[in-house]
Amino acid sequence: MLSSQFRHKLVTKRPYIKAYTDEEVVEDVFQAFANKDLSLKQISENSGVNYDNIRKWHSKYLKDQNYRPGKLIGQHKRIFSIEEEEEIANMIKLQFINYHVIIRRKHLRLLLYDCWKSIDPANRSLLDDDHFISKQFLKDFCKRHGLSFRMMRKKKRSEINPKDVRRYIRQIIKIFRQYDKSLIFNMDETAWNFVYKTGKVLAKSGQEEVDAELPDDYKKCFTVISTVTASGAKHTPIFLAEGSTIRCEKQFDGMTSDDSDYILYHSKSGKTTDEVMEFYFKTLSKKFAKGKQCALILDQYASHISEATKASAKKYKIKLVYIPVSATDKYQPLDRYIFGIMKSQAASKFYDKAFEECEGFTKPEAADIFVELWNNLKVRHILKAWDNTEKCDADGEEEEEEEE
């Protein structure tokens, strides 16, 4: 992993405070501690050393009779020599940051620890096994070498149209009055990545673009269609394979999850199309809603608002309610909360493998992770995701009555 070895012995010491550079005075003070003939105030008066310093020195002397002020202080702050640190920092920039490899704080800590272990034991500094590299050291190391942990930039959303929001609220009011909560569904697609690019990563300070990715695998993902109800239920996720025939679904061969925990389908692009929506509506009506009329809240993705999709929804007696453009993070339950929970949980697994092996998961492995996290999703999390939508129902009653 390392581009070179680091063999220079660390000899950095913090100097004494100027007034106490006279080692003879310091030794006289500590000899007085040992003799116990004088009080601390008398020692301060005789030596000319500030009384508060005398008290601190004495307190540390009682714990360690070999303690001397200034001696070896700073060892916990500087694990490497200046030359070693510069070489390590340059290696991290060249071999990791410049190639957009994701580095979290725990990864930087492990990386620095590997550098420390590469030094000859006879020449390297001492480290506390329980706290081998502190948070403060990481902070200071980054500051010394123009690095920092920063959020990766995301594309800004366009402005939300207030009229669309008011229209959406009126529709939400109606469906919550008309349908049982178990028949009010929210569906959403998400790109389930083999490697995630979210959160803070190590980057060069002042760098305008903050990005991190695996060179080969960062674009690898597949579409998952998920469904939850306003009553807190979750339904079987649908994984989309990329291809024109059912044979392409073999991309998921090797999954260890139970077959009943997921549904496989496909499209030429691997994304939601009119044909996929037809399949989804059929599944929603027969399997999820048990043939009953229901309402479906969804965003305005191209295939969701096509005439073919609207006709298909009418065929299966599904009332479509569209979330305002650019407002899914606020009004779409799956988007605003649930996917956030799942991707946060999955990210840890992905980041560790990305850093340690510099590769992502296979498609079957990533799908199994989704199934595991989906099955573990709590009802309270689903209900919390609907909070804002149900609030629309309560807050919009007065407005609706006035308009009527």
Side-chain angles (χ1 to χ4, degrees):
M1 179 182 292
L2 301 180
S3 58
S4 63
Q5 299 293 311
F6 308 94
R7 300 189 179 90
H8 304 289
K9 186 175 182 180
L10 177 62
V11 294
T12 304
K13 299 180 183 179
R14 195 179 80 178
Y16 293 124
I17 298 173
K18 187 175 182 180
Y20 313 128
T21 53
D22 188 341
E23 292 189 11
E24 187 174 336
V25 172
V26 172
E27 289 304 320
D28 286 345
V29 168
F30 279 82
Q31 185 60 49
F33 290 161
N35 294 337
K36 301 180 181 180
D37 294 334
L38 303 174
S39 67
L40 297 184
K41 285 189 176 181
Q42 290 175 323
I43 295 174
S44 174
E45 291 172 358
N46 293 345
S47 65
V49 177
N50 182 279
Y51 176 65
D52 287 339
N53 282 343
I54 292 293
R55 289 180 58 192
K56 291 177 183 178
W57 293 359
H58 184 256
S59 175
K60 293 183 178 181
Y61 169 78
L62 294 177
K63 298 177 182 178
D64 178 9
Q65 295 185 359
N66 294 319
Y67 167 78
R68 295 297 182 272
K71 192 171 185 179
L72 296 182
I73 290 178
Q75 287 278 31
H76 65 294
K77 295 181 180 180
R78 296 299 294 268
I79 298 171
F80 308 102
S81 67
I82 295 175
E83 294 79 9
E84 287 171 348
E85 272 205 5
E86 288 179 353
E87 194 167 354
I88 294 170
N90 288 335
M91 178 271 293
I92 291 173
K93 292 175 184 178
L94 290 173
Q95 297 186 15
F96 291 87
I97 296 177
N98 287 356
Y99 284 95
H100 311 293
V101 175
I102 295 169
I103 299 181
R104 301 290 191 179
R105 283 182 175 82
K106 66 177 181 180
H107 301 144
L108 178 59
R109 180 178 284 110
L110 292 171
L111 188 58
L112 293 174
Y113 187 52
D114 284 342
C115 292
W116 176 79
K117 289 195 297 184
S118 72
I119 303 172
D120 187 327
N123 296 326
R124 66 192 181 197
S125 60
L126 297 177
L127 284 179
D128 183 342
D129 290 339
D130 295 328
H131 304 91
F132 57 91
I133 294 178
S134 67
K135 292 181 179 179
Q136 187 60 45
F137 177 83
L138 291 182
K139 182 178 179 180
D140 292 342
F141 176 86
C142 290
K143 185 176 181 180
R144 286 193 291 267
H145 300 286
L147 300 170
S148 60
F149 286 92
R150 303 166 60 198
M151 290 296 294
M152 286 181 278
R153 296 181 181 273
K154 295 183 178 180
K155 183 179 179 181
K156 293 183 179 179
R157 295 176 179 265
S158 58
E159 293 184 1
I160 302 173
N161 188 328
K163 291 183 179 180
D164 291 342
V165 172
R166 289 194 291 271
R167 186 182 304 112
Y168 172 73
I169 291 175
R170 290 196 297 270
Q171 290 178 311
I172 288 295
I173 292 170
K174 290 178 180 179
I175 67 168
F176 268 86
R177 290 175 177 174
Q178 184 178 353
Y179 298 93
D180 184 85
K181 288 184 179 181
S182 64
L183 294 175
I184 300 176
F185 297 89
N186 172 225
M187 71 85 73
D188 191 22
E189 307 97 329
T190 189
W192 191 249
N193 298 75
F194 297 11
V195 173
Y196 278 94
K197 299 193 299 178
T198 58
K200 291 187 176 182
V201 295
L202 188 65
K204 298 174 184 176
S205 299
Q207 181 176 317
E208 182 176 355
E209 181 181 2
V210 180
D211 196 13
E213 60 196 35
L214 291 178
D216 296 326
D217 295 323
Y218 74 97
K219 290 183 179 179
K220 289 186 177 180
C221 63
F222 59 90
T223 299
V224 182
I225 302 176
S226 302
T227 310
V228 293
T229 69
S231 63
K234 57 191 174 187
H235 291 286
T236 313
I238 300 173
F239 299 150
L240 292 184
E242 184 177 351
S244 303
T245 68
I246 196 171
R247 291 180 62 185
C248 68
E249 295 174 14
K250 291 185 177 294
Q251 297 166 12
F252 290 92
D253 283 356
M255 287 184 63
T256 59
S257 302
D258 193 282
D259 291 346
S260 63
D261 285 340
Y262 61 92
I263 298 171
L264 293 182
Y265 198 61
H266 61 274
S267 71
K268 187 174 181 179
S269 64
K271 298 180 181 179
T272 308
T273 62
D274 292 350
E275 292 74 19
V276 171
M277 291 304 295
E278 170 80 23
F279 172 80
Y280 175 75
F281 288 153
K282 182 178 179 180
T283 304
L284 174 65
S285 177
K286 294 185 176 181
K287 186 172 182 179
F288 301 164
K290 307 298 182 184
K292 298 179 181 178
Q293 292 186 13
C294 61
L296 177 64
I297 300 172
L298 68 171
D299 59 38
Q300 298 190 45
Y301 185 67
S303 63
H304 297 176
I305 60 176
S306 70
E307 292 304 318
T309 292
K310 292 178 181 178
S312 180
K314 189 174 182 180
K315 171 183 172 183
Y316 289 102
K317 300 179 181 180
I318 300 171
K319 170 68 175 177
L320 301 182
V321 179
Y322 292 111
I323 298 167
V325 174
S326 298
T328 55
D329 60 329
K330 184 175 182 181
Y331 295 114
Q332 171 128 271
L334 281 164
D335 188 30
R336 69 183 293 267
Y337 191 68
I338 294 174
F339 286 151
I341 291 177
M342 295 181 65
K343 290 185 177 182
S344 175
Q345 293 172 336
S348 173
K349 302 176 186 288
F350 292 147
Y351 289 138
D352 287 345
K353 186 165 185 178
F355 178 76
E356 294 167 5
E357 303 178 23
C358 215
E359 63 178 25
F361 286 94
T362 64
K363 185 174 288 188
E365 289 173 335
D368 280 329
I369 290 173
F370 185 94
V371 170
E372 175 189 351
L373 297 177
W374 186 255
N375 288 343
N376 292 334
L377 191 64
K378 306 296 184 184
V379 172
R380 68 174 184 273
H381 293 149
I382 299 174
L383 293 176
K384 183 175 180 179
W386 282 88
D387 283 350
N388 213 39
T389 304
E390 292 198 71
K391 188 175 182 294
C392 289
D393 183 14
D395 292 350
E397 288 184 3
E398 183 177 344
E399 178 185 350
E400 184 192 39
E401 291 172 359
E402 290 178 356
E403 290 190 5
E404 291 177 351

